[in-house]
Amino acid sequence: MLRNCQLLTRKTDKFDMCLFTNNSGFGPPVENFNHGVLSNTRNWFFTNQFMLEVIFHNRMKNYKCLTNDSSLASAIFVPFYAGLDLRRHLWGHKTSVRDASGFELVKWLSEKPEWKKMWGMDHFLVSGRISRDFRRKSDKNSEWGSKFRFLPESRNMSMLSIESSLNNIDNNDFAIPYPTSFHPSTEIEVSQWQDRMKRQNRPYLFSFAGARRSRNKGSLRDIIINQCLESSNNSCKFMDCSSSGSSNCDNPLNVMQVFQKSVFCLQPPGDSYTRRSIFDSILAGCIPVFFHPGSAYSQYLWHLTENHTKYSVFISGKSLRDRKSRFIINETLVGVSKEEQEAMREEVIRLIPRIVYADNTIRLETGFEDAFDLAVRGILDKIETSTRVIKEKEKAMD
């Protein structure tokens, strides 16, 4: 798929997807550091949010605990680029074409001796798309996605994706962070970035980066944008990411510049419950404001703080839509004391190492865990628990 990366590009895409497969999935480096917004290192890239499986695979190649003896392995990583494969066939193809690679994969896996050890329950894969894209419920060509996660063999495996299924009946979908544009090489670079975010002057009380949904007038996003534009004393900065907008939201320099100047960053659901912007805001030390619990609180359980009030603000999207309630974002955020702001910002900045994917060409210092490390540790713990349960059941049967 990487050799034939031109097949990943749609006619409606702004950029050739081949750009983003470079540098082990990080994409082309950001060259412009003139605004003092990004750190003066070569760790910033134009990273596409759908490149997680490429980034993770290349990082796994340098993982210190790999073994060539599968009988010794605690887990089996399956480097199947499910998201990129689906992207090639998602539009204008029959469901049979969308499902073909998934069928081929599980057939191949199930014939391997490693499979029979736990029938795939010690296998895991990574997807750069949301879990829902692989849970198509019918074979109608008009239906979205593939049915890969409904295949019996696939259901035995665990999948790490940028957004897990909220109806995870198999308990084997796990959300891990969207990739940001910052890929540090050392712990010192992360610490220096954290220090910069602590010292930032933040003239905007809150900001929103996104575009209106033209087909969904009166939506939550429309309400949020309108309240931002109408906020008193220009307390909100709106970064218009529409095709007609003046901002290039694909450039991390522009996004970081706005988020670094903001105390709070609004994070309503996008095309799904989650958004990459959540992690961009954390990276900028900007306190995320959520409008649905599925945007973060029921996701990223290995990476974010369990007590969500420590690092974020929640405003009910339902209350915001209710015109009778006159729920105003500006008034809510003004009501957060300076002491509470400082405590939340400190927690947000503390989370930064946990949500970035470090440079995969080096091994980080002992004790520093990034998003990859936490994901691998989480999946190993899950598989260990499953193994113990199976052994206990077998023992009880004997």
Side-chain angles (χ1 to χ4, degrees):
M1 277 184 274
L2 299 185
R3 283 196 300 270
N4 297 291
C5 55
Q6 69 277 3
L7 299 177
L8 301 173
T9 306
R10 299 172 57 209
K11 291 181 180 179
T12 56
D13 288 337
K14 295 180 182 178
F15 305 101
D16 184 344
M17 289 297 288
C18 290
L19 283 173
F20 303 115
T21 61
N22 293 329
N23 295 316
S24 302
F26 289 164
V30 176
E31 301 291 350
N32 185 359
F33 297 97
N34 293 338
H35 296 80
V37 177
L38 307 182
S39 50
N40 295 317
T41 63
R42 295 303 177 187
N43 299 120
W44 289 87
F45 299 82
F46 288 93
T47 302
N48 184 276
Q49 67 177 31
F50 297 118
M51 286 295 133
L52 179 59
E53 46 212 33
V54 183
I55 293 170
F56 204 98
H57 183 198
N58 281 289
R59 182 69 182 280
M60 185 62 78
K61 290 176 182 177
N62 289 326
Y63 182 51
K64 61 184 178 182
C65 296
L66 283 182
T67 175
N68 290 325
D69 185 348
S70 60
S71 66
L72 300 175
S74 301
I76 306 289
F77 172 60
V78 181
F80 173 53
Y81 295 173
L84 294 184
D85 176 65
L86 182 60
R87 183 182 179 88
R88 293 189 302 174
H89 305 124
L90 192 49
W91 296 272
H93 289 85
K94 295 181 178 179
T95 57
S96 58
V97 176
R98 288 180 246 159
D99 295 338
S101 293
F103 277 114
E104 186 178 351
L105 172 74
V106 298
K107 181 180 183 298
W108 183 85
L109 280 175
S110 62
E111 294 172 353
K112 295 294 179 182
E114 292 86 356
W115 184 265
K116 297 175 177 61
K117 179 182 176 182
M118 287 184 65
W119 304 105
M121 283 183 277
D122 57 350
H123 287 51
F124 74 100
L125 68 156
V126 175
S127 168
R129 300 189 71 90
I130 66 174
S131 175
R132 191 178 67 196
D133 288 348
F134 305 98
R135 294 176 175 272
R136 194 190 70 240
K137 295 181 178 179
S138 80
D139 288 335
K140 295 179 181 178
N141 290 328
S142 58
E143 291 288 328
W144 178 263
S146 79
K147 62 178 181 182
F148 175 64
R149 290 299 281 159
F150 285 144
L151 302 180
E153 297 87 351
S154 176
R155 292 176 77 154
N156 281 358
M157 293 190 286
S158 295
M159 185 167 79
L160 313 182
S161 58
I162 53 177
E163 178 180 314
S164 66
S165 170
L166 296 186
N167 300 314
N168 184 14
I169 58 175
D170 301 312
N171 194 31
N172 60 359
D173 274 358
F174 303 93
I176 61 176
Y178 285 71
T180 67
S181 295
F182 182 45
H183 304 288
S185 301
T186 67
E187 186 176 6
I188 292 176
E189 290 171 355
V190 178
S191 298
Q192 290 174 342
W193 178 257
Q194 289 174 298
D195 289 339
R196 288 186 62 180
M197 294 308 99
K198 291 176 183 177
R199 299 192 303 268
Q200 284 293 316
N201 177 35
R202 300 180 185 269
Y204 302 118
L205 177 63
F206 61 109
S207 64
F208 175 66
R212 295 182 187 271
R213 294 289 191 262
S214 58
R215 292 177 296 179
N216 195 6
K217 297 295 183 183
S219 66
L220 177 62
R221 183 171 287 212
D222 263 2
I223 294 170
I224 287 171
I225 291 174
N226 290 339
Q227 289 202 14
C228 177
L229 295 173
E230 295 165 3
S231 61
S232 59
N233 301 319
N234 295 319
S235 58
C236 181
K237 173 67 175 177
F238 172 46
M239 186 174 184
D240 187 358
C241 297
S242 65
S243 56
S244 59
S246 59
S247 302
N248 177 10
C249 298
D250 298 302
N251 189 334
L253 180 70
N254 298 335
V255 175
M256 286 292 109
Q257 192 168 28
V258 171
F259 286 178
Q260 286 175 24
K261 292 181 179 180
S262 307
V263 177
F264 299 98
C265 289
L266 307 185
Q267 301 297 346
D271 294 326
S272 63
Y273 291 118
T274 63
R275 313 173 70 210
R276 168 183 167 156
S277 178
I278 294 168
F279 300 99
D280 288 335
S281 68
I282 292 174
L283 183 59
C286 185
I287 302 164
V289 179
F290 297 115
F291 301 86
H292 191 287
S295 294
Y297 304 151
S298 55
Q299 311 274 354
Y300 317 114
L301 303 181
W302 299 333
H303 295 79
L304 299 182
T305 305
E306 186 175 358
N307 183 355
H308 56 79
T309 61
K310 293 182 67 175
Y311 73 93
S312 68
V313 172
F314 181 75
I315 297 175
S316 170
K318 184 178 180 181
S319 298
L320 206 58
R321 291 190 189 94
D322 185 358
R323 295 181 180 180
K324 295 179 182 178
S325 69
R326 294 181 177 273
F327 208 90
I328 307 299
I329 297 172
N330 188 85
E331 292 178 1
T332 303
L333 298 180
V334 166
V336 181
S337 69
K338 294 293 183 182
E339 292 76 16
E340 290 174 311
Q341 287 182 23
E342 290 175 4
M344 280 191 280
R345 186 181 307 114
E346 184 175 331
E347 181 64 20
V348 166
I349 292 173
R350 188 189 70 82
L351 289 173
I352 290 175
R354 302 172 66 88
I355 60 95
V356 297
Y357 293 92
D359 188 335
N360 54 46
T361 60
I362 52 90
R363 288 182 178 173
L364 298 176
E365 297 94 331
T366 303
F368 174 77
E369 289 187 314
D370 71 340
F372 170 86
D373 293 312
L374 292 172
V376 172
R377 178 151 61 87
I379 200 65
L380 290 175
D381 289 345
K382 183 267 180 184
I383 290 172
E384 183 181 355
T385 300
S386 299
T387 304
R388 185 169 61 250
V389 170
I390 290 173
K391 288 181 178 179
E392 289 174 354
K393 287 181 177 179
E394 291 176 345
K395 187 177 181 180
M397 291 175 66
D398 293 339

